[in-house]
């Protein structure tokens, strides 16, 4: 499935050609995507090892690293100085460490910011957790359609149904101004606690090691993270599972 080497190409050109061919096969209607994806992933691993410590190896490793666990990132950063000193890999390493420390079974990490329901006040996640109910937390931004859709199409309904049993907290992240987030929150009629994380040094995305939004997690009434990185289609099931949890 992988084309043979072409002596007229540089390693970079040969790699790009092979990846492009595999990508085309993945997109081809009727193709065995699972099989091709396995070949694709195996090729990346093979090439990252073949060109370890070179600029090409760095580029390949970067493309794979977003899916690495903390242990895998620890290994990558110890391979050579080129990787250890790369800014992007260092950011991904820090994110992996944060995600590991806030994984399922770990205690939640504090989030604090402006209360969008009363901008003269500040509000904290700990204050919500202290109420003794499970907490559904979602990170969102006014410019992120998928994260807004979760609020508009799901959380508004879930809040109406479970407000007496579950607390909801929406955390606005990656925003330069409070005005745009206030406008979006008002348009979506967010009636639950909504926090604007206004301190870049205390960014919730950094604390929880998230590489993008939307991001949804559930914190149990005991303050332990029960689920995180929940897919939109699994949010309702995760809420119901938590409500049936025995403490």
């Amino acid at each position: 499935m992988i084309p043979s080497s072409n002596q007229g190409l540089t390693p970079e050109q040969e790699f790009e050609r092979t990846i492009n061919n595999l990508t085309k096969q993945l997109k081809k209607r009727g193709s065995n995507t699972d099989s091709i994806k396995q070949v694709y992933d195996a090729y990346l691993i093979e090439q990252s090892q073949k060109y370890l410590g070179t600029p090409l190896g760095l580029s390949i490793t970067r493309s794979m690293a977003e899916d690495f666990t903390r242990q895998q990132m620890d290994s990558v950063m110890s391979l050579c100085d080129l990787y250890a000193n790369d800014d992007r890999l260092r950011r991904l390493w820090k994110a992996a460490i944060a995600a590991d420390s806030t994984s399922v079974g770990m205690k939640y990490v504090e989030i604090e910011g402006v209360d969008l329901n009363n901008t003269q006040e500040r509000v904290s996640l700990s204050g919500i957790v202290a109420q003794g109910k499970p907490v559904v937390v979602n990170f969102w931004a006014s410019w992120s359609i998928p994260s807004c859709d979760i609020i508009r199409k799901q959380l508004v309904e879930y809040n109406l149904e479970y407000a007496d049993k579950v607390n909801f907290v929406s955390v606005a992240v990656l925003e330069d101004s409070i005005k745009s987030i206030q406008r979006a929150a008002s348009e979506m009629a967010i009636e639950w606690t909504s926090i604007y994380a206004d301190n870049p040094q205390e960014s919730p995305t950094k604390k929880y090691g998230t590489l993008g939004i939307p991001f949804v997690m559930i914190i149990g009434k005991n303050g332990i993270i029960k689920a995180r990185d929940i897919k939109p289609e699994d949010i309702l099931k995760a809420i119901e599972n938590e409500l049936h949890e025995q403490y």
Side-chain angles (χ1 to χ4, degrees):
M1 189 175 295
I2 297 178
S4 59
S5 177
N6 188 325
Q7 295 182 351
L9 299 178
T10 65
E12 290 79 8
Q13 290 171 331
E14 182 179 346
F15 175 78
E16 183 177 1
R17 180 184 68 122
T18 303
I19 288 297
N20 287 340
N21 285 336
L22 288 171
T23 301
K24 288 179 182 178
Q25 292 180 48
L26 279 171
K27 294 180 178 179
K28 187 176 180 181
R29 181 176 299 178
S31 62
N32 187 336
T33 55
D34 290 341
S35 176
I36 298 172
K37 188 65 168 59
Q38 289 180 358
V39 173
Y40 186 101
D41 293 342
Y43 179 71
L44 287 178
I45 295 172
E46 173 193 287
Q47 294 299 295
S48 69
Q49 295 172 345
K50 180 178 181 180
Y51 294 104
L52 176 65
T54 69
L56 177 56
L58 173 61
S59 177
I60 297 170
T61 302
R62 280 176 173 173
S63 71
M64 301 165 61
E66 286 193 8
D67 297 323
F68 283 178
T69 64
R70 175 179 179 172
Q71 289 72 26
Q72 289 174 310
M73 285 304 304
D74 287 345
S75 297
V76 165
M77 300 307 284
S78 67
L79 288 173
C80 63
D81 288 344
L82 179 64
Y83 295 2
N85 295 324
D86 181 70
D87 287 342
R88 175 161 176 74
L89 287 182
R90 289 179 67 85
R91 287 196 298 272
L92 292 173
W93 188 26
K94 290 179 180 178
I97 292 171
D100 184 62
S101 65
T102 56
S103 58
V104 173
M106 304 296 284
K107 190 177 187 300
Y108 77 96
V109 174
E110 179 69 296
I111 297 174
E112 188 264 352
V114 177
D115 183 350
L116 285 176
N117 296 317
N118 180 2
T119 56
Q120 302 302 312
E121 301 288 339
R122 300 187 72 80
V123 64
S124 65
L125 179 58
S126 59
I128 307 302
V129 175
Q131 295 176 17
K133 297 179 182 179
V135 184
V136 177
V137 182
N138 73 295
F139 293 178
W140 71 291
S142 61
W143 47 264
S144 169
I145 294 176
S147 70
C148 289
D149 279 348
I150 285 178
I151 294 173
R152 185 184 299 110
K153 298 179 180 180
Q154 295 180 258
L155 297 189
V156 168
E157 177 184 343
Y158 300 161
N159 180 61
L160 290 173
E161 184 173 354
Y162 295 102
D164 59 330
K165 300 177 181 179
V166 178
N167 283 324
F168 291 80
V169 178
S170 290
V171 184
V173 298
L174 308 175
E175 292 277 0
D176 295 326
S177 168
I178 193 173
K179 291 183 179 180
S180 58
I181 204 71
Q182 278 183 302
R183 183 167 55 251
S186 175
E187 291 173 352
M188 291 188 292
I190 297 178
E191 297 181 351
W192 53 89
T193 301
S194 188
I195 303 173
Y196 170 55
D198 59 341
N199 185 354
Q201 303 305 316
E202 295 290 325
S203 168
T205 55
K206 291 181 180 179
K207 286 185 173 183
Y208 283 86
T210 62
L211 297 176
I213 52 176
F215 170 80
V216 180
M217 67 177 171
I218 292 181
I219 301 171
K221 58 184 180 181
N222 58 358
I224 299 301
I225 297 171
K226 307 304 287 294
R228 57 166 285 163
D229 300 296
I230 307 171
K231 296 179 180 179
E233 61 269 24
D234 295 330
I235 295 174
L236 181 57
K237 182 179 179 180
I239 292 173
E240 293 176 341
N241 287 343
E242 178 56 25
L243 289 175
H244 288 93
E245 183 75 14
Q246 298 295 320
Y247 285 86

